[in-house]
Amino acid sequence: MYSCDEYNTNVLGTRFNPANALVSQFVHHVYIEYKDSDTHIWGPYKDLIDVQREGSRLSITSTDDSLALIVYGNAMGDSAHYMNGQLKITIDRDFALYLNGLNIHSNSGPAIEVQDDEQICYLVVTNGSKNILRDSIYQTQYHDGSIQEADGCLYVSGQLYLDGKGQLSILNAAEARYDADLGDSIYTHAIYARGGLFCNYALQADLTSCYGDAIHTSGSEVKLINGTWRLYPGRDTINTEGAAITISETAKVYINDSIYSTTNPDAN
C-alpha cells in the first residue's frame, strides 16, 4: 500500500498484484483513502469510476469489468473527534473490493453498500489488516421510485465471496424501524448478502447484530469452508430464508462465544 499527499498521480501506486487466483482478473486498481472527514481517490485507473461525495460519504459507480478498489483509512474517528462515513458502490460487473485497514461508521444506512444486481463482490480482507464497520440508523431507501433494499452494515445485493486472512469486525447497532410503505418492522443485519455468502479463506470475522441476524441472505446459500467466525446475533445467527447452510470442519464458528458443533447442525 501507498499513502501520500499527492493523490492525483499516475506514478505512485502503479505497482499492484492481485491477492490470489480468485481475484486475478481484477487489475484496474483504484485507491480510496478516508482521512480527516474527507476522501481521497487516486491511482492510474481512477478515471474508470464516477464519484459523488459528501465529506466522508462516498458513492461510486462504474461499468469496468476488471475493477479493484483498495480502501483504507478512518471514517470513524475517536472519542475526541467523532466521524461518520459510507462507501456505496453501484456496478453491473463482478469486481474486487480490498479492505486494507478501514474503520468506518455510518449514521445513515450501511457502512458499505454494494448494489451489483446478480454480480459477485469479491471482498478481500487483506492479510494482516484490521477493519471495522459500524452503523447506527437506517431509513427506507428508494431508487427510481421503488424501494431499494440495503439493510445490512455490510450489504451486497448480489453474491459475496470473502477472501484474505485479515480481520473484519462488524457492529450492526441499528434498532428495527417500522416502514409504512411495507407495513412491517424492518430489521437490519451485520452482513446481508442477498445472493449468498461464500468463504474459503482463513479470515477472522467478528459479526455482531444487536437486533437482527449476524448473517442474512435472501433465499441464497451460505457456505463457510474456512475462517474463524465469531457471531453475536440479536435474532438468528445465520438466516438464509430456507436456503442451504454449509459449515465445513475447517471453519471455526462461535455463536455467542460457544463453539459450533456439527452434532448440532441448526445454525439458525
Side-chain angles (χ1 to χ4, degrees):
M1 282 296 304
Y2 296 85
S3 179
C4 65
D5 292 329
E6 297 177 2
Y7 298 96
N8 297 322
T9 174
N10 290 328
V11 179
L12 291 175
T14 56
R15 295 182 60 185
F16 171 78
N17 293 314
N20 47 44
L22 183 64
V23 290
S24 61
Q25 72 189 80
F26 305 106
V27 294
H28 293 165
H29 53 292
V30 179
Y31 295 93
I32 299 171
E33 181 180 27
Y34 286 82
K35 181 179 180 182
D36 299 331
S37 298
D38 200 357
T39 55
H40 305 278
I41 300 171
W42 57 289
Y45 295 97
K46 61 185 176 60
D47 292 336
L48 293 177
I49 64 173
D50 294 321
V51 179
Q52 293 182 330
R53 72 183 91 194
E54 182 180 346
S56 290
R57 301 188 68 82
L58 188 64
S59 181
I60 289 172
T61 58
S62 181
T63 59
D64 184 66
D65 60 3
S66 300
L67 187 65
L69 300 175
I70 299 96
V71 189
Y72 61 103
N74 190 340
M76 185 178 296
D78 53 33
S79 58
H81 181 51
Y82 195 69
M83 293 187 293
N84 292 290
Q86 186 181 49
L87 175 62
K88 179 176 180 177
I89 301 163
T90 303
I91 191 168
D92 59 0
R93 311 290 177 92
D94 296 349
F95 76 107
L97 174 61
Y98 289 71
L99 303 187
N100 194 13
L102 175 67
N103 293 346
I104 188 168
H105 170 264
S106 173
N107 64 353
S108 182
I112 296 180
E113 176 184 346
V114 177
Q115 297 289 348
D116 60 353
D117 296 325
E118 298 180 357
Q119 309 303 317
I120 300 174
C121 171
Y122 293 92
L123 182 65
V124 183
V125 185
T126 58
N127 298 354
S129 70
K130 297 180 180 180
N131 306 274
I132 302 173
L133 311 180
R134 294 180 180 174
D135 63 21
S136 54
I137 300 172
Y138 286 71
Q139 60 184 4
T140 302
Q141 181 170 290
Y142 295 87
H143 178 70
D144 292 337
S146 299
I147 293 175
Q148 184 179 62
E149 193 165 13
D151 289 320
C153 188
L154 169 58
Y155 176 83
V156 178
S157 67
Q159 299 177 43
L160 176 61
Y161 280 71
L162 287 160
D163 190 352
K165 298 179 181 179
Q167 298 180 27
L168 176 62
S169 176
I170 298 179
L171 173 58
N172 163 235
E175 297 184 10
R177 70 185 189 278
Y178 181 78
D179 187 274
D181 289 341
L182 297 175
D184 199 1
S185 293
I186 307 301
Y187 291 84
T188 59
H189 314 290
I191 292 181
Y192 188 175
R194 284 185 58 86
L197 183 151
F198 308 89
C199 180
N200 193 26
Y201 290 85
L203 84 161
Q204 300 179 50
D206 187 331
L207 311 180
T208 300
S209 180
C210 296
Y211 302 95
D213 306 333
I215 298 174
H216 191 95
T217 74
S218 185
S220 300
E221 181 181 12
V222 167
K223 183 176 288 188
L224 305 181
I225 305 302
N226 210 331
T228 299
W229 302 80
R230 299 185 182 276
L231 308 178
Y232 303 91
R235 302 186 83 194
D236 294 332
T237 305
I238 302 175
N239 187 334
T240 62
E241 300 182 6
I245 299 172
T246 301
I247 299 177
S248 170
E249 293 182 356
T250 53
K252 294 182 179 180
V253 177
Y254 297 84
I255 302 173
N256 293 322
D257 294 324
S258 296
I259 193 164
Y260 168 85
S261 171
T262 55
T263 61
N264 181 20
D266 185 7
N268 285 350

